Amino acid sequence: MAKFSKDKKTILSGIKPSGELTLGSYIGAIRNWASLQSDYNCIYCIADMHAITVRQDPALLRKRTLIQLAQYIACGIDPDKNVLFIQSHVPAHAELGWVLNCYTMVGELNRMTQFKDKSARHADNINAGLYDYPVLMAADILLYQADLVPVGEDQKQHVEICRDIARRFNGIYGNVFTLPDPYIPSVGARVMSLADPESKMSKSEDDSGCILLLDRPEDIMARFKRAVTDSETEIRYDPVSKKGISNLISIYSAVTGKSIPDVEREFAGCGYGSFKQTVGEAVVELLRPMREETERLLADRAYLNTVLASGADQAARIAARTLGKVYKKVGFYTADK
């Protein structure tokens, strides 16, 4: 069980198990999570409640949820230092989500760009959960009095509406919620698709340029060999006019720890084919121990269930303190014990 300190700030984040974790997920989020666990109180959930805003195959969702937990651990997120749990295992998320609905303005939700984007992609299933997603996300954050929320630039709007909701509630009832700030890593926050370097690498099934953490080495190499570049031959970082090669440079830099200028110097005069091969090999070796450890953990389901039970218990106890305070503030009656 994770031991939290009052002297440390609290960080909360989560990823939906609607698909397998990608190289982009690792570089942009999970690797940074692992680096934070010694300096912060870290709470990480598998956001299965958020996943069902889009129709899911139930059996596949359950499978991916367990795989994601194993991958978190395999990527260095220690269950003894972090609270790891499944969102739906802590009912307080849904309970606080309803209360916060009553303190969220329709106009605020109408301005959320992700709802507009997802509605366009899922026009046959524009449901209330998709619209209300930011309120549940606010509940996720505020339940644990999180100081910081690791997000990409495209998620900052969710933290902003969370702050607006918390500020409104605090303005009525006093100092109930901590106002969270976005935590945006200075490097590695965005990995683009190998097939379409203008789009973020996505775990959607139609992204042929996506690298999954559990991909076989031969599949990883094949995707890098097909990676979109340009008609030039110079390996130079220029994210405006050379998006494809710049994405490969960024990936190689993130994987090896070398600076972008060092990468440019290392491959000066090399061809694109040779560079793609080298980047692919570096990614294969980065992911190999994670894939092997994930497979080992998945063979020990009893251990994973123990991690989940312990994490849900600790998360529920933290969440209950906040929810109890909220229920008292809004006037819900509690029977005498």
PDB file of all heavy atoms in Angstrom, residues 252-275:
ATOM      1  N   TYR A 252      13.091   9.359 -31.527  1.00  0.00           N
ATOM      2  CA  TYR A 252      14.442   8.864 -31.252  1.00  0.00           C
ATOM      3  C   TYR A 252      15.061   9.622 -30.077  1.00  0.00           C
ATOM      4  O   TYR A 252      15.724   9.035 -29.207  1.00  0.00           O
ATOM      5  CB  TYR A 252      15.309   9.002 -32.502  1.00  0.00           C
ATOM      6  CG  TYR A 252      16.666   8.354 -32.372  1.00  0.00           C
ATOM      7  CD1 TYR A 252      16.796   6.970 -32.351  1.00  0.00           C
ATOM      8  CD2 TYR A 252      17.818   9.132 -32.269  1.00  0.00           C
ATOM      9  CE1 TYR A 252      18.045   6.366 -32.229  1.00  0.00           C
ATOM     10  CE2 TYR A 252      19.073   8.541 -32.151  1.00  0.00           C
ATOM     11  CZ  TYR A 252      19.173   7.152 -32.131  1.00  0.00           C
ATOM     12  OH  TYR A 252      20.417   6.570 -32.006  1.00  0.00           O
ATOM     13  N   SER A 253      14.835  10.924 -30.031  1.00  0.00           N
ATOM     14  CA  SER A 253      15.333  11.746 -28.934  1.00  0.00           C
ATOM     15  C   SER A 253      14.739  11.297 -27.607  1.00  0.00           C
ATOM     16  O   SER A 253      15.451  11.144 -26.607  1.00  0.00           O
ATOM     17  CB  SER A 253      15.001  13.223 -29.193  1.00  0.00           C
ATOM     18  OG  SER A 253      15.277  14.019 -28.072  1.00  0.00           O
ATOM     19  N   ALA A 254      13.422  11.059 -27.593  1.00  0.00           N
ATOM     20  CA  ALA A 254      12.737  10.652 -26.360  1.00  0.00           C
ATOM     21  C   ALA A 254      13.178   9.262 -25.910  1.00  0.00           C
ATOM     22  O   ALA A 254      13.310   8.997 -24.712  1.00  0.00           O
ATOM     23  CB  ALA A 254      11.223  10.682 -26.574  1.00  0.00           C
ATOM     24  N   VAL A 255      13.409   8.377 -26.870  1.00  0.00           N
ATOM     25  CA  VAL A 255      13.767   6.993 -26.549  1.00  0.00           C
ATOM     26  C   VAL A 255      15.206   6.878 -26.058  1.00  0.00           C
ATOM     27  O   VAL A 255      15.511   6.106 -25.140  1.00  0.00           O
ATOM     28  CB  VAL A 255      13.535   6.087 -27.778  1.00  0.00           C
ATOM     29  CG1 VAL A 255      14.180   4.725 -27.596  1.00  0.00           C
ATOM     30  CG2 VAL A 255      12.040   5.933 -28.038  1.00  0.00           C
ATOM     31  N   THR A 256      16.111   7.651 -26.654  1.00  0.00           N
ATOM     32  CA  THR A 256      17.531   7.536 -26.331  1.00  0.00           C
ATOM     33  C   THR A 256      18.011   8.547 -25.299  1.00  0.00           C
ATOM     34  O   THR A 256      19.087   8.383 -24.722  1.00  0.00           O
ATOM     35  CB  THR A 256      18.388   7.717 -27.595  1.00  0.00           C
ATOM     36  OG1 THR A 256      18.175   9.052 -28.118  1.00  0.00           O
ATOM     37  CG2 THR A 256      18.017   6.678 -28.652  1.00  0.00           C
ATOM     38  N   GLY A 257      17.231   9.612 -25.099  1.00  0.00           N
ATOM     39  CA  GLY A 257      17.663  10.670 -24.187  1.00  0.00           C
ATOM     40  C   GLY A 257      18.599  11.670 -24.830  1.00  0.00           C
ATOM     41  O   GLY A 257      19.091  12.597 -24.162  1.00  0.00           O
ATOM     42  N   LYS A 258      18.852  11.535 -26.123  1.00  0.00           N
ATOM     43  CA  LYS A 258      19.725  12.475 -26.828  1.00  0.00           C
ATOM     44  C   LYS A 258      18.942  13.725 -27.214  1.00  0.00           C
ATOM     45  O   LYS A 258      17.750  13.652 -27.510  1.00  0.00           O
ATOM     46  CB  LYS A 258      20.300  11.805 -28.087  1.00  0.00           C
ATOM     47  CG  LYS A 258      21.164  10.587 -27.791  1.00  0.00           C
ATOM     48  CD  LYS A 258      21.654   9.930 -29.069  1.00  0.00           C
ATOM     49  CE  LYS A 258      22.493   8.689 -28.752  1.00  0.00           C
ATOM     50  NZ  LYS A 258      22.950   8.002 -29.988  1.00  0.00           N
ATOM     51  N   SER A 259      19.624  14.862 -27.226  1.00  0.00           N
ATOM     52  CA  SER A 259      18.959  16.103 -27.625  1.00  0.00           C
ATOM     53  C   SER A 259      18.684  16.093 -29.127  1.00  0.00           C
ATOM     54  O   SER A 259      19.347  15.363 -29.887  1.00  0.00           O
ATOM     55  CB  SER A 259      19.821  17.309 -27.267  1.00  0.00           C
ATOM     56  OG  SER A 259      20.975  17.348 -28.096  1.00  0.00           O
ATOM     57  N   ILE A 260      17.738  16.911 -29.549  1.00  0.00           N
ATOM     58  CA  ILE A 260      17.417  16.972 -30.982  1.00  0.00           C
ATOM     59  C   ILE A 260      18.619  17.441 -31.804  1.00  0.00           C
ATOM     60  O   ILE A 260      18.927  16.843 -32.856  1.00  0.00           O
ATOM     61  CB  ILE A 260      16.175  17.855 -31.205  1.00  0.00           C
ATOM     62  CG1 ILE A 260      14.924  17.081 -30.740  1.00  0.00           C
ATOM     63  CG2 ILE A 260      16.050  18.271 -32.668  1.00  0.00           C
ATOM     64  CD1 ILE A 260      13.635  17.861 -30.804  1.00  0.00           C
ATOM     65  N   PRO A 261      19.378  18.461 -31.375  1.00  0.00           N
ATOM     66  CA  PRO A 261      20.578  18.820 -32.152  1.00  0.00           C
ATOM     67  C   PRO A 261      21.588  17.679 -32.242  1.00  0.00           C
ATOM     68  O   PRO A 261      22.224  17.487 -33.287  1.00  0.00           O
ATOM     69  CB  PRO A 261      21.156  20.005 -31.359  1.00  0.00           C
ATOM     70  CG  PRO A 261      19.974  20.619 -30.681  1.00  0.00           C
ATOM     71  CD  PRO A 261      19.106  19.455 -30.310  1.00  0.00           C
ATOM     72  N   ASP A 262      21.729  16.900 -31.169  1.00  0.00           N
ATOM     73  CA  ASP A 262      22.640  15.755 -31.206  1.00  0.00           C
ATOM     74  C   ASP A 262      22.169  14.700 -32.199  1.00  0.00           C
ATOM     75  O   ASP A 262      22.986  14.073 -32.895  1.00  0.00           O
ATOM     76  CB  ASP A 262      22.774  15.130 -29.813  1.00  0.00           C
ATOM     77  CG  ASP A 262      23.670  15.936 -28.890  1.00  0.00           C
ATOM     78  OD1 ASP A 262      24.396  16.821 -29.385  1.00  0.00           O
ATOM     79  OD2 ASP A 262      23.627  15.697 -27.657  1.00  0.00           O
ATOM     80  N   VAL A 263      20.858  14.494 -32.269  1.00  0.00           N
ATOM     81  CA  VAL A 263      20.302  13.533 -33.222  1.00  0.00           C
ATOM     82  C   VAL A 263      20.567  14.011 -34.643  1.00  0.00           C
ATOM     83  O   VAL A 263      20.971  13.222 -35.518  1.00  0.00           O
ATOM     84  CB  VAL A 263      18.792  13.330 -32.990  1.00  0.00           C
ATOM     85  CG1 VAL A 263      18.198  12.408 -34.068  1.00  0.00           C
ATOM     86  CG2 VAL A 263      18.531  12.754 -31.607  1.00  0.00           C
ATOM     87  N   GLU A 264      20.364  15.285 -34.898  1.00  0.00           N
ATOM     88  CA  GLU A 264      20.624  15.832 -36.231  1.00  0.00           C
ATOM     89  C   GLU A 264      22.090  15.633 -36.623  1.00  0.00           C
ATOM     90  O   GLU A 264      22.383  15.250 -37.770  1.00  0.00           O
ATOM     91  CB  GLU A 264      20.263  17.319 -36.259  1.00  0.00           C
ATOM     92  CG  GLU A 264      18.776  17.595 -36.182  1.00  0.00           C
ATOM     93  CD  GLU A 264      18.467  19.083 -36.132  1.00  0.00           C
ATOM     94  OE1 GLU A 264      19.188  19.809 -35.410  1.00  0.00           O
ATOM     95  OE2 GLU A 264      17.525  19.511 -36.802  1.00  0.00           O
ATOM     96  N   ARG A 265      22.994  15.887 -35.677  1.00  0.00           N
ATOM     97  CA  ARG A 265      24.425  15.705 -35.985  1.00  0.00           C
ATOM     98  C   ARG A 265      24.761  14.235 -36.207  1.00  0.00           C
ATOM     99  O   ARG A 265      25.541  13.889 -37.103  1.00  0.00           O
ATOM    100  CB  ARG A 265      25.273  16.278 -34.844  1.00  0.00           C
ATOM    101  CG  ARG A 265      25.351  17.797 -34.836  1.00  0.00           C
ATOM    102  CD  ARG A 265      26.403  18.285 -33.850  1.00  0.00           C
ATOM    103  NE  ARG A 265      25.969  18.078 -32.468  1.00  0.00           N
ATOM    104  CZ  ARG A 265      25.271  18.981 -31.769  1.00  0.00           C
ATOM    105  NH1 ARG A 265      24.919  20.130 -32.329  1.00  0.00           N
ATOM    106  NH2 ARG A 265      24.936  18.735 -30.517  1.00  0.00           N
ATOM    107  N   GLU A 266      24.164  13.359 -35.394  1.00  0.00           N
ATOM    108  CA  GLU A 266      24.464  11.926 -35.502  1.00  0.00           C
ATOM    109  C   GLU A 266      24.085  11.371 -36.869  1.00  0.00           C
ATOM    110  O   GLU A 266      24.781  10.495 -37.408  1.00  0.00           O
ATOM    111  CB  GLU A 266      23.701  11.163 -34.407  1.00  0.00           C
ATOM    112  CG  GLU A 266      23.930   9.665 -34.426  1.00  0.00           C
ATOM    113  CD  GLU A 266      23.157   8.936 -33.320  1.00  0.00           C
ATOM    114  OE1 GLU A 266      22.650   9.602 -32.391  1.00  0.00           O
ATOM    115  OE2 GLU A 266      23.066   7.688 -33.396  1.00  0.00           O
ATOM    116  N   PHE A 267      22.997  11.886 -37.434  1.00  0.00           N
ATOM    117  CA  PHE A 267      22.498  11.325 -38.686  1.00  0.00           C
ATOM    118  C   PHE A 267      22.714  12.250 -39.881  1.00  0.00           C
ATOM    119  O   PHE A 267      22.080  12.062 -40.927  1.00  0.00           O
ATOM    120  CB  PHE A 267      21.022  10.959 -38.540  1.00  0.00           C
ATOM    121  CG  PHE A 267      20.802   9.810 -37.585  1.00  0.00           C
ATOM    122  CD1 PHE A 267      20.473  10.061 -36.256  1.00  0.00           C
ATOM    123  CD2 PHE A 267      20.966   8.508 -38.003  1.00  0.00           C
ATOM    124  CE1 PHE A 267      20.291   9.020 -35.366  1.00  0.00           C
ATOM    125  CE2 PHE A 267      20.791   7.459 -37.119  1.00  0.00           C
ATOM    126  CZ  PHE A 267      20.458   7.714 -35.792  1.00  0.00           C
ATOM    127  N   ALA A 268      23.580  13.229 -39.738  1.00  0.00           N
ATOM    128  CA  ALA A 268      23.898  14.106 -40.868  1.00  0.00           C
ATOM    129  C   ALA A 268      24.471  13.274 -42.016  1.00  0.00           C
ATOM    130  O   ALA A 268      25.398  12.485 -41.828  1.00  0.00           O
ATOM    131  CB  ALA A 268      24.895  15.174 -40.431  1.00  0.00           C
ATOM    132  N   GLY A 269      23.892  13.430 -43.187  1.00  0.00           N
ATOM    133  CA  GLY A 269      24.365  12.703 -44.359  1.00  0.00           C
ATOM    134  C   GLY A 269      23.785  11.316 -44.517  1.00  0.00           C
ATOM    135  O   GLY A 269      24.032  10.652 -45.533  1.00  0.00           O
ATOM    136  N   CYS A 270      23.019  10.839 -43.526  1.00  0.00           N
ATOM    137  CA  CYS A 270      22.403   9.510 -43.632  1.00  0.00           C
ATOM    138  C   CYS A 270      21.103   9.591 -44.431  1.00  0.00           C
ATOM    139  O   CYS A 270      20.456  10.628 -44.485  1.00  0.00           O
ATOM    140  CB  CYS A 270      22.097   8.949 -42.252  1.00  0.00           C
ATOM    141  SG  CYS A 270      23.565   8.514 -41.301  1.00  0.00           S
ATOM    142  N   GLY A 271      20.723   8.479 -45.000  1.00  0.00           N
ATOM    143  CA  GLY A 271      19.462   8.420 -45.727  1.00  0.00           C
ATOM    144  C   GLY A 271      18.296   8.159 -44.791  1.00  0.00           C
ATOM    145  O   GLY A 271      18.475   7.700 -43.662  1.00  0.00           O
ATOM    146  N   TYR A 272      17.094   8.431 -45.307  1.00  0.00           N
ATOM    147  CA  TYR A 272      15.887   8.217 -44.494  1.00  0.00           C
ATOM    148  C   TYR A 272      15.719   6.745 -44.120  1.00  0.00           C
ATOM    149  O   TYR A 272      15.300   6.415 -43.010  1.00  0.00           O
ATOM    150  CB  TYR A 272      14.652   8.705 -45.253  1.00  0.00           C
ATOM    151  CG  TYR A 272      14.469  10.206 -45.258  1.00  0.00           C
ATOM    152  CD1 TYR A 272      15.370  11.051 -44.619  1.00  0.00           C
ATOM    153  CD2 TYR A 272      13.379  10.784 -45.907  1.00  0.00           C
ATOM    154  CE1 TYR A 272      15.192  12.426 -44.630  1.00  0.00           C
ATOM    155  CE2 TYR A 272      13.185  12.157 -45.919  1.00  0.00           C
ATOM    156  CZ  TYR A 272      14.102  12.973 -45.280  1.00  0.00           C
ATOM    157  OH  TYR A 272      13.911  14.327 -45.287  1.00  0.00           O
ATOM    158  N   GLY A 273      16.031   5.857 -45.053  1.00  0.00           N
ATOM    159  CA  GLY A 273      15.849   4.428 -44.791  1.00  0.00           C
ATOM    160  C   GLY A 273      16.683   3.954 -43.618  1.00  0.00           C
ATOM    161  O   GLY A 273      16.212   3.228 -42.734  1.00  0.00           O
ATOM    162  N   SER A 274      17.930   4.373 -43.592  1.00  0.00           N
ATOM    163  CA  SER A 274      18.828   4.002 -42.511  1.00  0.00           C
ATOM    164  C   SER A 274      18.357   4.596 -41.184  1.00  0.00           C
ATOM    165  O   SER A 274      18.408   3.939 -40.136  1.00  0.00           O
ATOM    166  CB  SER A 274      20.246   4.482 -42.826  1.00  0.00           C
ATOM    167  OG  SER A 274      21.107   4.243 -41.731  1.00  0.00           O
ATOM    168  N   PHE A 275      17.875   5.829 -41.222  1.00  0.00           N
ATOM    169  CA  PHE A 275      17.409   6.499 -40.011  1.00  0.00           C
ATOM    170  C   PHE A 275      16.168   5.799 -39.461  1.00  0.00           C
ATOM    171  O   PHE A 275      16.066   5.534 -38.252  1.00  0.00           O
ATOM    172  CB  PHE A 275      17.101   7.964 -40.308  1.00  0.00           C
ATOM    173  CG  PHE A 275      16.634   8.739 -39.108  1.00  0.00           C
ATOM    174  CD1 PHE A 275      17.364   8.758 -37.930  1.00  0.00           C
ATOM    175  CD2 PHE A 275      15.451   9.459 -39.162  1.00  0.00           C
ATOM    176  CE1 PHE A 275      16.933   9.479 -36.824  1.00  0.00           C
ATOM    177  CE2 PHE A 275      15.011  10.180 -38.061  1.00  0.00           C
ATOM    178  CZ  PHE A 275      15.755  10.191 -36.885  1.00  0.00           C
TER     179      PHE A 275
END
